Amino acid sequence: MTDSTSGESSLNCWKNDFPVLKREVRPGVPLVYLDSAATSQKPESVLTAMDTYYRLMNANIHRGVHTLAEEATAEYESARSRIASFIGARDPSELIFTRNTTESINLVAQTWGRAKLQDGDVIILTEMEHHSNLVPWQMLAAEKNLRLEFIPVNDKGELDLDVYQKLLLLEPKLVSFIQMSNVLGTINPAKEIIQMAKKSGALTLLDAAQSVPHFSVNIQDLGPDFLAFSAHKMIGPTGIGALWGRKTILENMPPFLGGGDMIKKVLLRSFIANDLPHKFEAGTPAIAEAIGFGAAVDYLSAVGMENIRKHEQRIVSYAMERLSRVPGIHMMGPDQPDRKGGVISFTIEGIHPHDIAQILDSDGVAVRAGHHCAMPLHDKLGINATTRASFYLYNDESDIDRLVKGLDKAINLFG
Amino acid sequence: MDDLYREIIIERYKNPAYRGELEPNDITFEDENPLCGDHIRIDLRVNTEGVVSEAAFSGHGCAISQASADLLLESIIGKTLDHVRQLNKEDLLDMLGIELGPVRLKCALLPLKILKAGVYGLGEATDELLEEK
């Protein structure tokens, strides 16, 4: 990492740490990457950490007696501790490595959900969920005859907490919701939603895929029972994510996948499950990725999550101001920049999002077009698809200028 | 990209000649591209000789899929259903006259899949329909 720790003014230093941002999409067309809500770019320090593992200490973890195995195990477990403390967890054994947020949520549904829920039990979700926090519960609901209820989204792209209050009268067993919408950018009042759930006796799961990467998320402060997030959206590698869970709950959950590492003892016809967190980590895990994940939280901690949030708010304010002058544009979600994260989804009258994305790509500007894995939310908003620009610490105002220039080009072409 | 959005595509997207619905119709089929949510319905009227006399498309989608639908329907008016059954991917791409990447290719070919699924009386628009001659 270069000099990345001195806050807002070192903006260009952050950008310089990400090798891919130096490339041209095609000759003479530099990349403007505005798709971080899908996946983020990776800094040199993360790439080096993973490369070093493979070059110098590649070995399978746990149980190995030789030096490389011990070093690899130490690095893997050290990454777990650093990631746990990054979200304010005091006990690293409460942090389980998974493949991604989706797997973390499925783990809870298939172990806690399958063991503890019964016919007629209620789960509360919201209308702005990503498919990853809808489908696992739909699958479980079909299997166990559960009832799913949804906190509605209002015209401003915010959750209707009055309706939520009424839904709580159904005495739900679980409230599972997204902390920051990957489409609207809405930052939901997670603490309030969790406290209300607790009062009615429900457990809570926070889908933090879009929040942990972009601002400080502390489980001690928010108080959820489960928290799910992915490394690849927070400058780490793909193929690894995390589930944090409250120890007493995790201990009483049956294991998820069966196999090596998740057992203490195996007989021909039975097994005894391992202690936390290994009980939920069957088979050889993504070791290099865990080490890369650790390097990612080191980088983010050094920059400071408050600095990232401040930086993104500045970019979002600037983008909303510039975009509001684009003819025919309609931006989704809260209209005050301080109520949303670094995501702006929009439509432009008369131009399909796919065409917008394609025209922007010809100028090297990478955005996403479609339903962003939130089809029910798009149905609710009455639109088929949107174009989404999403930001991270390595973006700056010049990227927004390139975006607006590309949109002008699209409008001229279709005008 | 400028090739992709050549004049005929933009013109057909903005002023399609065959946009609408036919009620009653002899053949109707609709489907969508689950990747992007683009949805197209195609209605045909066919005379007693098995010749397409009228055609219309409705729904929503990007410029590529809409222009593709418009050009495709124009090409089958006055043609037999046997002719329609033999249309393949290359025929439609020739009409569009553009080079497409794998993602946008799906947009361009959606109307052909829907047309052929309707003419064959199939329950779904599959990729196999794009190949046969």
Side-chain angles (χ1 to χ4, degrees), chain B residues 36-76:
Chain B
C36 57
D38 284 5
H39 187 109
I40 291 178
R41 166 178 156 180
I42 290 177
D43 301 336
L44 303 180
R45 282 187 184 142
V46 184
N47 69 19
T48 46
E49 283 88 52
V51 171
V52 177
S53 56
E54 286 175 82
F57 76 95
S58 51
H60 53 80
C62 62
I64 308 290
S65 72
Q66 302 285 293
S68 169
D70 208 49
L71 288 163
L72 175 65
L73 295 191
E74 183 172 78
S75 80
I76 63 164

Side-chain angles (χ1 to χ4, degrees), chain A residues 350-352 354-356 358-359 362 369-371 375 384-385 409 413-415, chain B residues 1-2 4-5 10 13-14 34-38 60-64 104 107:
Chain A
I351 317 180
H352 191 278
H354 268 188
D355 296 317
I356 295 173
Q358 185 104 46
I359 293 162
S362 69
H371 49 62
M375 287 173 91
N384 304 303
K409 184 173 163 183
L413 199 59
F414 279 85
Chain B
M1 190 284 301
D2 296 325
L4 190 56
Y5 291 98
I10 300 282
Y13 174 63
K14 285 162 71 175
L35 287 176
C36 57
D38 284 5
H60 53 80
C62 62
I64 308 290
R104 299 314 297 278
C107 308

Side-chain angles (χ1 to χ4, degrees), chain A residues 111-307:
Chain A
T111 63
W112 175 83
R114 203 179 249 168
K116 311 284 177 187
L117 298 180
Q118 301 167 23
D119 199 329
D121 280 347
V122 174
I123 295 176
I124 296 183
L125 308 169
T126 83
E127 285 180 343
M128 65 166 82
E129 294 312 310
H130 187 282
H131 296 163
S132 63
N133 194 30
L134 285 173
V135 181
W137 305 114
Q138 292 170 349
M139 287 164 63
L140 189 68
E143 186 185 313
K144 308 211 50 141
N145 195 28
L146 308 176
R147 177 169 164 194
L148 303 181
E149 292 292 340
F150 299 88
I151 308 173
V153 177
N154 67 20
D155 297 344
K156 291 179 191 156
E158 291 168 349
L159 295 176
D160 187 333
L161 296 191
D162 292 336
V163 176
Y164 173 45
Q165 184 74 66
K166 288 183 192 121
L167 288 174
L168 288 172
L169 297 174
L170 299 169
E171 296 180 0
K173 291 285 188 291
L174 177 74
V175 176
S176 183
F177 67 102
I178 197 163
Q179 189 173 11
M180 178 184 137
S181 165
N182 66 314
V183 177
L184 304 166
T186 313
I187 297 172
N188 291 316
K191 195 171 176 174
E192 190 181 347
I193 293 171
I194 289 166
Q195 280 171 349
M196 288 166 74
K198 271 186 203 292
K199 272 185 207 150
S200 77
L203 293 190
T204 50
L205 187 157
L206 194 55
D207 170 356
Q210 298 289 345
S211 51
V212 165
H214 297 281
F215 50 88
S216 175
V217 173
N218 188 305
I219 48 132
Q220 307 299 343
D221 175 47
L222 297 174
D225 296 294
F226 299 105
L227 185 95
F229 55 107
S230 298
H232 74 97
K233 290 195 202 289
M234 48 193 293
I235 71 172
T238 55
I240 192 155
L243 172 70
W244 171 85
R246 226 170 261 291
K247 194 164 200 168
T248 47
I249 300 170
L250 292 176
E251 278 172 342
N252 286 305
M253 279 158 53
F256 182 36
L257 302 175
D261 221 32
M262 53 75 69
I263 45 83
K264 230 178 225 166
K265 185 172 179 172
V266 180
L267 304 169
L268 266 184
R269 296 182 196 282
S270 63
F271 71 95
I272 297 166
N274 205 340
D275 296 329
L276 291 174
H278 313 293
K279 171 177 155 185
F280 294 106
E281 293 178 6
T284 298
I287 304 167
E289 286 77 5
I291 291 168
F293 196 175
V297 300
D298 291 345
Y299 184 100
L300 294 174
S301 304
V303 172
M305 294 311 288
E306 286 70 26
N307 287 330

